[in-house]
């Protein structure tokens, strides 16, 4: 990229200042005890019978203490005489293969040796009923054959729709438990219908499948476990919307309303269903949804190792580094778009040789401003939001925000001999 690099070599990069964004940090100190307290209720134990086979869902998102929560749940079920097993439940993720989905949850520590029960995977589904409009309700065959199903998931704001049920226990039933085939039926009417369809299909699964419990996890702004709620089948529909409201109140966010350039070190499926959470980054594939920072340009520097080359969300960016492109896995990514019918997320933006050129290109493409006037924020990812870097020309604004603490002096970004900020 000789001529391209020549165009970028003198683009000014601002000095950056480390600042801390302060949020409520209340969290659960003893996660195992909190899980057991929720499980040790008469209405919960009444759902479990000796020798009952029970399928527990494990999704594709990075969730704090996921493996520990599952391990504790497994131990409790076994103590009640049940026979639990875990199934990867993530729609079309993991390349839409059983092996790929097992590999995803293994990255989160959900492996047989740790959790104490089998991890069984299949992409085969069975039809357990139909919606009123005739569409089939499909769920994972192993779950359908079990005596009971426990839907376990983090409850949080969704990245593409708003509704009574967003990301959580109900969506796990409709999308995660549906494998690729069920997720495709739910997505088929397009992204604008996804919220209503998640509700319709999850209610259909509650009616027709052997769901016994839902386990909802809520995290604070630091992605630490804030609340654990075990719900009986009958409680899920009424309780999850309240838990969703609580989860939204605990979300982290960038405390600035607008910035010219947002640089994100890492995106990945373990960070968000869309690689980077639009509730933070402000880029939405559905124009009717608002939220997050108003960023004129967004640049991406790398993919997480845990995403296994899945680059969903990269299409929301304006630029990325060549390193990102070299890590892309089409097999692990395209099934998501082929299933959801959303093409925008899997597009590849302009990419550049290294981190320095990527940042310079992102700055250069801010319209109507000289590079010296551009404001910039750099974050590690859309999960880790406490300590961020802001450009020197945002300091005046930062001093006016009580929840922001200035941590040091303005400094130049330090690039290695290859023009990168990190390995």
């Amino acid at each position: 990229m000789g001529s391209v690099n020549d165009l970028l070599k003198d683009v000014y990069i601002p000095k950056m200042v480390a600042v801390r964004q302060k949020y409520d940090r209340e969290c659960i100190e003893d996660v195992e005890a909190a899980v057991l307290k929720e499980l040790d209720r008469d209405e919960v134990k009444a759902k479990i019978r000796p020798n009952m086979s029970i399928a527990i869902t494990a999704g594709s998102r990075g969730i704090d203490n996921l493996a520990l929560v599952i391990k504790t749940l497994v131990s409790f079920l076994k103590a009640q005489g049940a026979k639990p097993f875990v199934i990867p439940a993530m729609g079309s993720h993991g390349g839409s293969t059983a092996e790929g989905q097992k590999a995803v949850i293994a990255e989160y520590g959900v492996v047989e040796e740790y959790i104490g029960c089998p991890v069984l995977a299949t992409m085969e589904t069975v039809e357990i009923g139909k919606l009123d409009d005739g569409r089939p309700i499909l769920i994972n065959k192993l779950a359908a054959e079990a005596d009971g199903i426990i839907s376990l998931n983090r409850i949080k704001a969704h990245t593409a729709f708003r509704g009574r049920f967003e990301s959580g226990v109900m969506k796990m039933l409709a999308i995660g438990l549906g494998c690729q085939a069920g997720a495709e039926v739910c997505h088929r009417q397009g992204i604008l219908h996804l919220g209503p369809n998640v509700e319709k299909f999850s209610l259909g699964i509650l009616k027709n499948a052997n769901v016994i419990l839902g386990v909802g996890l809520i995290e604070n702004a630091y992605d630490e476990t804030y609340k654990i709620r075990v719900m009986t089948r009958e409680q899920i529909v009424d309780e999850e919307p309240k838990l969703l409201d609580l989860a939204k109140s605990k979300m982290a966010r960038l405390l600035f309303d607008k910035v010219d350039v947002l640089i994100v070190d890492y995106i990945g499926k373990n960070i968000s269903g869309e690689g980077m959470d639009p509730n933070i980054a402000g880029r939405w594939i559905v124009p009717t949804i608002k939220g997050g920072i108003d960023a004129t340009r967004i640049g991406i520097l790398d993919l997480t190792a845990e995403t296994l080359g899945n680059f969903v969300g990269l299409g929301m960016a304006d630029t990325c580094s060549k390193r990102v492109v070299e890590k892309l896995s089409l097999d692990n990514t395209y099934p998501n778009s082929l299933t959801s019918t959303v093409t925008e997320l899997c597009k590849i933006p302009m990419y550049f040789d290294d981190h320095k050129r990527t940042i310079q290109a992102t700055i250069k493409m801010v319209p109507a401003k000289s590079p010296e006037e551009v404001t910039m924020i750099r974050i590690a990812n859309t999960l880790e939001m406490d300590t961020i870097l802001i450009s020197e020309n945002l300091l005046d604004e930062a001093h006016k925000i009580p929840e922001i603490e200035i941590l040091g002096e303005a400094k130049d970004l330090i690039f290695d001999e290859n023009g990168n900020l990190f390995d």
Side-chain angles (χ1 to χ4, degrees):
M1 291 189 181
S3 60
V4 172
N5 289 342
D6 285 342
L7 288 172
L8 298 175
K9 64 182 181 181
D10 295 323
V11 173
Y12 173 78
I13 297 176
K15 293 179 182 292
M16 304 295 287
V17 182
V19 302
R20 178 177 293 120
Q21 301 191 120
K22 293 177 281 187
Y23 313 99
D24 177 13
R25 193 149 199 172
E26 182 182 352
C27 65
I28 295 174
E29 298 292 339
D30 189 336
V31 171
E32 182 179 3
V35 174
L36 291 174
K37 181 178 179 181
E38 279 291 296
L39 290 169
D40 193 22
R41 293 167 19 224
D42 290 342
E43 68 266 31
V44 171
K45 290 189 286 189
K47 298 290 183 180
I48 305 163
R49 303 186 307 273
N51 296 315
M52 187 180 192
S53 62
I54 299 177
I56 304 167
T57 64
S60 58
R61 304 291 182 268
I63 298 174
D64 190 39
N65 293 305
L66 176 64
L68 176 58
V69 171
I70 291 176
K71 178 182 181 179
T72 307
L73 176 57
V74 166
S75 296
F76 178 85
L77 294 172
K78 290 167 74 172
Q80 304 301 307
K83 298 177 179 178
F85 63 96
V86 167
I87 54 171
M90 55 189 76
S92 60
H93 302 170
S96 283
T97 68
E99 295 78 12
Q101 295 201 347
K102 283 186 74 172
V104 170
I105 64 172
E107 289 285 335
Y108 306 143
V110 183
V111 293
E112 295 182 9
E113 295 79 8
Y114 178 75
I115 62 172
C117 76
V119 177
L120 307 177
T122 183
M123 296 303 292
E124 188 176 352
T125 59
V126 295
E127 182 177 324
I128 61 170
K130 294 184 183 295
L131 297 185
D132 291 342
D133 59 15
R135 284 181 290 171
I137 301 172
L138 305 173
I139 69 168
N140 181 294
K141 184 175 185 291
L142 295 171
E145 292 174 347
D147 298 320
I149 299 169
I150 297 177
S151 178
L152 184 152
N153 202 15
R154 178 182 175 183
I155 297 174
K156 62 188 289 286
H158 196 266
T159 55
F161 69 83
R162 292 289 178 259
R164 191 158 65 120
F165 308 104
E166 296 182 24
S167 288
V169 170
M170 292 287 274
K171 181 174 175 284
M172 175 62 79
L173 294 176
I175 303 294
L177 204 61
C179 302
Q180 190 280 331
E184 182 167 9
V185 174
C186 193
H187 279 93
R188 198 62 201 165
Q189 292 181 328
I191 197 70
L192 294 178
H193 296 275
L194 184 56
N197 279 332
V198 163
E199 182 165 343
K200 289 176 184 177
F201 278 96
S202 58
L203 289 172
I205 292 169
L206 280 179
K207 178 181 178 181
N208 294 285
N210 44 3
V211 179
I212 58 171
L213 299 172
V215 180
L217 309 174
I218 294 175
E219 296 181 8
N220 64 20
Y222 299 90
D223 303 299
E224 299 162 334
T225 307
Y226 170 77
K227 186 178 181 64
I228 299 167
R229 179 59 179 162
V230 176
M231 299 166 281
T232 65
R233 174 197 188 103
E234 296 78 16
Q235 293 170 332
I236 294 171
V237 172
D238 289 332
E239 288 201 25
E240 183 164 337
K242 299 171 188 175
L243 293 171
L244 176 60
D245 288 342
L246 177 60
K248 288 181 177 181
S249 76
K250 296 296 178 181
M251 284 180 61
R253 64 184 181 90
L254 286 166
L255 299 176
F256 298 84
D257 294 327
K258 183 176 175 60
V259 73
D260 295 318
V261 168
L262 175 64
I263 297 297
V264 184
D265 286 358
Y266 289 96
I267 69 168
K269 293 295 285 188
N270 59 309
I271 302 297
S272 169
E274 294 187 9
M276 57 179 178
D277 190 342
N279 292 289
I280 304 295
R283 289 284 174 93
W284 296 90
I285 57 173
V286 178
T288 56
I289 302 179
K290 304 297 181 184
I293 195 167
D294 179 7
T296 305
R297 294 285 182 252
I298 296 180
I300 306 298
L301 301 185
D302 210 337
L303 296 182
T304 65
E306 294 88 346
T307 201
L308 302 176
N310 188 320
F311 62 95
V312 161
L314 187 59
M316 292 190 289
D318 301 288
T319 65
C320 70
S321 72
K322 186 177 180 181
R323 176 185 295 184
V324 172
V325 177
E326 290 173 342
K327 293 182 178 180
L328 305 184
S329 168
L330 305 187
D331 284 339
N332 276 348
T333 308
Y334 283 0
N336 287 175
S337 282
L338 291 169
T339 299
S340 69
T341 72
V342 176
T343 64
E344 293 89 341
L345 295 174
C346 292
K347 293 182 178 179
I348 300 173
M350 297 174 67
Y351 63 92
F352 300 89
D353 279 345
D354 50 47
H355 293 165
K356 184 176 182 179
R357 298 293 187 259
T358 302
I359 293 171
Q360 288 177 309
T362 315
I363 292 170
K364 185 176 179 63
M365 288 189 289
V366 173
K369 282 191 174 183
S370 70
E372 290 76 16
E373 297 173 311
V374 167
T375 58
M376 187 166 84
I377 294 175
R378 177 185 167 201
I379 63 175
N381 56 65
T382 56
L383 281 180
E384 300 173 71
M385 301 294 299
D386 56 340
T387 302
I388 64 173
L389 297 178
I390 65 171
S391 55
E392 192 173 19
N393 55 4
L394 280 173
L395 274 175
D396 287 345
E397 184 177 349
H399 281 297
K400 298 174 184 177
I401 303 174
E403 296 83 9
I404 286 183
E405 177 187 357
I406 311 300
L407 297 179
E409 302 295 323
K411 298 178 181 179
D412 289 318
L413 293 178
I414 304 299
F415 300 94
D416 65 19
E417 65 276 12
N418 297 313
N420 291 317
L421 290 166
F422 49 85
D423 291 334

